[in-house]
Amino acid sequence: MSTAQAVTARGRTPALRGPVRYLVLALAVAVALVMVAPFGLLVLNAFKTSADYSTNGPLAWPEAFSLDAFQGYLARVDFPVALANSVLSSTLVAFAAVALALISAYAIGVGRIRSSSAVVAVLLVATMLPHEALIYPLFYLAQATGTINTIWSVVIIFTVFHAAFGTYILASVMGTIPKELLEAAAVDGATRWQILWRVLLPTLRPTLSVLVVFFFIWTWNEFYIPLVLLGSPDSHTIPIALSTLRGQYSIDVTVINAGSLLSLLPTLVFFFLFQRTLSRGVTAGAVK
């Protein structure tokens, strides 16, 4: 390519980048609007009265912002108890599953166990099983252990479920750590526990943080297994309490929207608080 052609090509590049950049920006804005639209409708209809919703429909602007739907939801559902159950069970599952996965992955990814690949494959297959296929043995197990209608049944079950997935992820990450690093720690006199807590744990901290966030949100949103195991109103979680609006009362869309908004706010707050942790964990995994 001659010098004149090179200059011409360089001169065309900014002219071409301008329209492409605005096109990408327009597409990004369109996608963002599509993703935010359901949440906007949820907020819009949560502040309507039943009469306003019936008269004007879901897409109309409220005639007057009202808290009647929130008052109706709080009157029909014991929201503080459901919120406490969801926060407690999700927090316990998140940290217990990560701790169990860390210890299991250490034995598989770094330890000297036989058929480690087969064990990881079994754990991966276990995470693919639908919950509907396991509900009968889980129900009878909860009955036999006396944890039925308590959040401990959900905590134990989802700790094991999520730990299987976490073990698969952490074992794969540990397999990429240079063995020379671990051998150097062993030569310096570090025991196996010291290698885990002082060498591996700082390296795996971003991945562990991501798993904690994911396990918390996954447990919070679980519906089917808690619906079967938590029959008592005192043990209901947020999704179960929200579902009772359809069974015990006539369907009031504004009340359901208000309940959905109150149920969604804690997870949004949790996500925004740990958003930087999540992005750092994903970035650290990509850099490695």
Side-chain angles (χ1 to χ4, degrees), residues 89 93-94 97 131 152-164 215 218-219 222-226 229:
S89 60
V93 169
H131 293 170
W152 296 110
S153 60
V154 174
V155 169
I156 294 172
I157 289 171
F158 287 116
T159 296
V160 176
F161 281 173
H162 297 334
F215 292 167
W218 290 350
T219 308
E222 284 292 340
F223 177 76
Y224 183 70
I225 290 180
L229 299 182

Side-chain angles (χ1 to χ4, degrees), residues 23 50 94 139 144 156 164 176 179 196 240:
L23 178 61
S50 300
F139 178 79
I156 294 172
T176 62
K179 294 183 179 180
L196 174 61
I240 308 304

Side-chain angles (χ1 to χ4, degrees), residues 19-64:
V20 173
R21 184 177 303 174
Y22 287 118
L23 178 61
V24 172
L25 179 61
L27 290 175
V29 171
V31 171
L33 290 176
V34 171
M35 296 179 65
V36 173
F39 182 76
L41 287 176
L42 179 67
V43 175
L44 198 66
N45 292 302
F47 290 94
K48 289 182 181 179
T49 61
S50 300
D52 186 5
Y53 182 88
S54 301
T55 303
N56 301 318
L59 300 179
W61 191 261
E63 294 179 353

Side-chain angles (χ1 to χ4, degrees), residues 23-258:
L23 178 61
V24 172
L25 179 61
L27 290 175
V29 171
V31 171
L33 290 176
V34 171
M35 296 179 65
V36 173
F39 182 76
L41 287 176
L42 179 67
V43 175
L44 198 66
N45 292 302
F47 290 94
K48 289 182 181 179
T49 61
S50 300
D52 186 5
Y53 182 88
S54 301
T55 303
N56 301 318
L59 300 179
W61 191 261
E63 294 179 353
F65 286 89
S66 173
L67 298 178
D68 292 345
F70 293 93
Q71 294 174 355
Y73 174 73
L74 295 177
R76 299 175 184 181
V77 173
D78 196 348
F79 182 75
V81 172
L83 178 62
N85 289 334
S86 290
V87 171
L88 180 60
S89 60
S90 300
T91 303
L92 290 176
V93 169
F95 287 98
V98 168
L100 181 59
L102 178 62
I103 297 174
S104 303
Y106 181 57
I108 296 174
V110 179
R112 299 291 183 179
I113 67 172
R114 297 179 179 180
S115 304
S116 59
S117 300
V119 174
V120 173
V122 170
L123 293 175
L124 182 60
V125 171
T127 60
M128 298 179 182
L129 290 176
H131 293 170
E132 291 79 1
L134 303 173
I135 191 60
Y136 282 107
L138 292 177
F139 178 79
Y140 289 120
L141 178 63
Q143 275 189 331
T145 56
T147 57
I148 194 74
N149 292 329
T150 66
I151 64 170
W152 296 110
S153 60
V154 174
V155 169
I156 294 172
I157 289 171
F158 287 116
T159 296
V160 176
F161 281 173
H162 297 334
F165 177 79
T167 301
Y168 168 74
I169 297 297
L170 293 176
S172 302
V173 175
M174 287 184 183
T176 62
I177 297 177
K179 294 183 179 180
E180 292 78 6
L181 179 63
L182 306 179
E183 293 174 354
V187 170
D188 291 338
T191 63
R192 292 184 177 181
W193 284 107
Q194 289 175 337
I195 292 175
L196 174 61
W197 297 115
R198 297 183 180 181
V199 178
L200 292 178
L201 187 61
T203 306
L204 297 173
R205 188 174 286 114
T207 305
L208 297 176
S209 302
V210 172
L211 290 178
V212 167
V213 174
F214 281 165
F215 292 167
F216 182 92
I217 296 177
W218 290 350
T219 308
W220 183 282
N221 293 329
E222 284 292 340
F223 177 76
Y224 183 70
I225 290 180
L227 178 65
V228 176
L229 299 182
L230 305 179
S232 174
D234 295 335
S235 61
H236 282 176
T237 57
I238 289 292
I240 308 304
L242 185 61
S243 69
T244 58
L245 296 176
R246 295 179 176 270
Q248 298 180 2
Y249 307 95
S250 59
I251 299 177
D252 191 336
V253 179
T254 58
V255 174
I256 293 177
N257 279 273

